């Protein structure tokens, strides 16, 4: 699991040299932001997936700040924010609107492009969208954390079983030529 993630994550030096993250200064020197263990990876998934459902202005900055505050893996949390991109944002926020409208008891509008592009209508739907976004962010962050924790533990148990089987198979053989 660790090797797979390390191959896909960018080099910490390239992130530290980023002009956008330079506002964090020496806070980026914390080694916990670059560790790759179960706690940091699952926490980074929770942070990244939570921030993904927030309004799309400054998501990377918010994810980086949250990763610094919670001391979780910075590259994972910032890169997960990119799951919300121009192609996925409309269905994500419409889903958040539907969830918010159901909870508030509002009438659910169908996805008609002319209605949603007219900024005069945004005040009518801002409450359901924000409430739905908060609910979706919380649920996706919690599910992401649980998924990574479970996957990490499953992988660890699989490695332990392999190691035990290898050890059990090797105890029947002599450990050196002198014992034969």
């Amino acid at each position: 699991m660790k090797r797979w993630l390390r191959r896909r994550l960018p080099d910490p030096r390239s992130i530290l040299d980023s002009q956008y993250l330079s506002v964090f200064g020496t806070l980026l020197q914390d080694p916990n932001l670059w560790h790759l263990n179960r706690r940091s990876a699952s926490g980074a998934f929770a942070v990244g997936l939570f921030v993904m459902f927030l309004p799309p202005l400054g998501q990377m900055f918010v994810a980086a700040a949250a990763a610094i505050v919670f001391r979780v893996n910075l590259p994972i949390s910032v890169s997960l924010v990119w799951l919300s991109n121009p192609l996925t944002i409309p269905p994500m926020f419409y889903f958040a609107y539907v969830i918010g409208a159901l909870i508030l008891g509002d009438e659910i509008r169908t996805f008609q492009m002319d209605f949603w592009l007219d900024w005069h209508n945004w005040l009518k739907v801002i409450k359901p969208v924000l409430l739905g976004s908060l609910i979706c962010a919380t649920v996706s962050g919690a599910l992401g954390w649980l998924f990574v924790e479970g996957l990490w533990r499953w992988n660890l148990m699989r490695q332990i079983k392999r190691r035990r089987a290898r050890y059990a198979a090797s105890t029947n053989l002599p450990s050196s030529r002198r014992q034969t």
Side-chain angles (χ1 to χ4, degrees):
M1 183 80 173
K2 233 182 202 183
R3 278 182 269 153
W4 183 83
L5 278 173
R6 281 190 202 266
R7 281 192 305 247
R8 281 150 181 79
L9 290 177
D11 182 46
R13 286 285 131 215
S14 65
I15 295 172
L16 288 172
D17 295 339
S18 170
Q19 66 181 2
Y20 301 111
L21 297 177
S22 65
V23 296
F24 294 115
T26 59
L27 293 173
L28 293 177
Q29 303 301 326
D30 184 5
N32 289 314
L33 300 177
W34 311 105
H35 281 257
L36 195 54
N37 55 31
R38 183 174 46 95
R39 182 200 168 279
S40 68
S42 59
F45 264 77
V47 165
L49 293 176
F50 182 87
V51 173
M52 176 182 73
F53 269 100
L54 296 181
L57 300 172
Q59 286 178 328
M60 284 180 54
F61 181 77
V62 173
I68 290 170
V69 168
F70 294 115
R71 300 176 75 187
V72 296
N73 191 286
L74 180 73
I76 293 174
S77 60
V78 170
S79 61
L80 280 173
V81 168
W82 285 98
L83 290 175
S84 62
N85 56 54
L87 293 176
T88 60
I89 284 178
M92 282 174 48
F93 283 104
Y94 183 72
F95 179 72
Y97 161 73
V98 169
I99 297 292
L102 285 173
I103 290 175
L104 292 175
D106 291 351
E107 174 190 348
I108 298 174
R109 297 189 169 272
T110 58
F111 191 77
Q112 297 170 345
M113 192 61 87
D114 56 339
F115 175 80
W116 292 98
L117 289 178
D118 186 10
W119 66 272
H120 293 95
N121 298 324
W122 291 357
L123 290 176
K124 298 174 189 171
V125 296
I126 194 74
K127 265 200 254 180
V129 168
L130 290 178
L131 178 64
S133 292
L134 185 61
I135 291 169
C136 290
T138 304
V139 168
S140 67
L143 288 176
W145 182 82
L146 287 171
F147 176 74
V148 173
E149 282 280 326
L151 187 64
W152 203 286
R153 287 175 191 251
W154 172 77
N155 193 24
L156 181 64
M157 294 308 292
R158 199 179 69 178
Q159 287 176 355
I160 289 171
K161 284 180 184 177
R162 275 195 220 147
R163 199 174 298 151
R164 284 182 181 160
R166 207 170 46 236
Y167 178 74
S170 69
T171 56
N172 297 335
L173 302 173
S175 61
S176 71
R177 287 185 216 184
R178 286 183 284 167
Q179 294 178 353
T180 57

